[in-house]
Amino acid sequence: MIYIATIHHETDKFIDLQQKYYAKYTEVPYKIYCGLSHANNQHYFDAQKEGKYPHFHFVDLNEVENQHWFRLNYLAKEILKVEKRLHNDDIIVFTDGDAFVVAPWAVPVTDILNAEDNLVCVAISRDENPEPFLAEEFKPYPHPCFAASNLRFWENNNLQWSLEPPHIVTAGPTLKRWYKENNYIWMSVTRTNIYNVHPLYFGVYGDFLYHHGAGN
């Protein structure tokens, strides 16, 4: 099973797109833990009860600290709390609300994670958008617009997204440092646009993920 944690902040414009494209291109069983933090989200919970969003588990984040990294950690804990039949090969995927898959992806990503013991994460690296004040040792880093790992590995090592101001003010570099310090590696997935109408927005990564770049 693949558990996908995603956050929709202030806008719900991408929820139906995620529903459509994950259903179309996900080759294995999956469930989307979808955090909502905008004023009028009750209709999603009602629609879910009526069967409209069969792959979704909606989570109200309005009372949860409004930090993207904190809410991703919250959703990971929610998955571990709600799911009662986890398996050792279950995968957790963190992804932005304005991102969705555009090609079959689950089997290739899972195969990569199973290929060698010390490869523990497959993640987007937004090399086109480097943090200007981030130390070079942290570049590139796993970006939460899409990052996949074994769920048990994530839980057993108490992994999380975090910041360390003033030097690390974006999520991902501290995770990269932990991997390095503990002799694990992560696979970087980069932008593969054939045409670029904008140098940052409208990105396609690894030929399977679309990231709008400014949806939330």
Side-chain angles (χ1 to χ4, degrees):
M1 174 71 81
I2 294 180
Y3 296 98
I4 300 165
T6 187
I7 297 169
H8 293 264
H9 180 65
E10 298 299 334
T11 178
D12 59 359
K13 292 181 178 180
F14 289 88
I15 291 177
D16 287 346
L17 286 170
Q18 285 187 330
Q19 174 187 238
K20 175 181 178 180
Y21 286 100
Y22 273 102
K24 182 175 181 179
Y25 290 117
T26 306
E27 316 96 298
V28 301
Y30 71 98
K31 187 173 182 179
I32 298 176
Y33 274 69
C34 182
L36 303 176
S37 61
H38 44 83
N40 302 309
N41 58 30
Q42 183 58 44
H43 67 283
Y44 284 107
F45 293 92
D46 295 338
Q48 185 180 46
K49 292 178 182 178
E50 297 169 0
K52 181 177 179 183
Y53 295 94
H55 295 290
F56 279 70
H57 175 88
F58 291 109
V59 180
D60 192 332
L61 297 180
N62 279 309
E63 301 302 320
V64 178
E65 181 179 344
N66 187 13
Q67 295 289 336
H68 189 74
W69 60 271
F70 186 92
R71 289 179 168 186
L72 288 176
N73 294 334
Y74 183 91
L75 287 178
K77 292 176 181 177
E78 185 75 3
I79 292 170
L80 294 169
K81 181 175 70 175
V82 172
E83 300 299 329
K84 304 301 182 184
R85 295 186 176 181
L86 295 176
H87 298 88
N88 289 334
D89 59 352
D90 287 340
I91 303 297
I92 186 168
V93 172
F94 299 94
T95 190
D96 280 353
D98 63 335
F100 50 86
V101 292
V102 292
W105 66 281
V107 170
V109 168
T110 300
D111 286 347
I112 292 170
L113 289 172
N114 292 333
E116 49 187 296
D117 290 340
N118 67 332
L119 199 165
V120 297
C121 178
V122 177
I124 299 303
S125 169
R126 298 188 77 191
D127 294 0
E128 71 277 13
N129 185 35
E131 298 291 333
F133 302 110
L134 186 66
E136 290 299 320
E137 65 182 290
F138 293 115
K139 301 175 185 177
Y141 60 86
H143 196 285
C145 68
F146 182 94
S149 184
N150 178 276
L151 179 56
R152 285 300 190 197
F153 181 85
W154 189 270
E155 177 190 23
N156 292 340
N157 290 283
N158 195 30
L159 297 181
Q160 60 182 337
W161 301 96
S162 63
L163 313 180
E164 289 184 5
H167 303 295
I168 300 176
V169 295
T170 187
T174 58
L175 195 59
K176 175 181 180 175
R177 182 179 62 196
W178 187 91
Y179 291 148
K180 183 177 180 180
E181 290 174 349
N182 290 276
N183 297 315
Y184 292 108
I185 60 175
W186 66 285
M187 178 178 174
S188 172
V189 180
T190 56
R191 188 177 179 111
T192 53
N193 289 52
I194 296 175
Y195 301 104
N196 282 289
V197 298
H198 189 277
L200 177 60
Y201 302 148
F202 323 122
V204 176
Y205 296 84
D207 293 327
F208 73 87
L209 184 89
Y210 173 79
H211 184 214
H212 199 61
N216 287 295

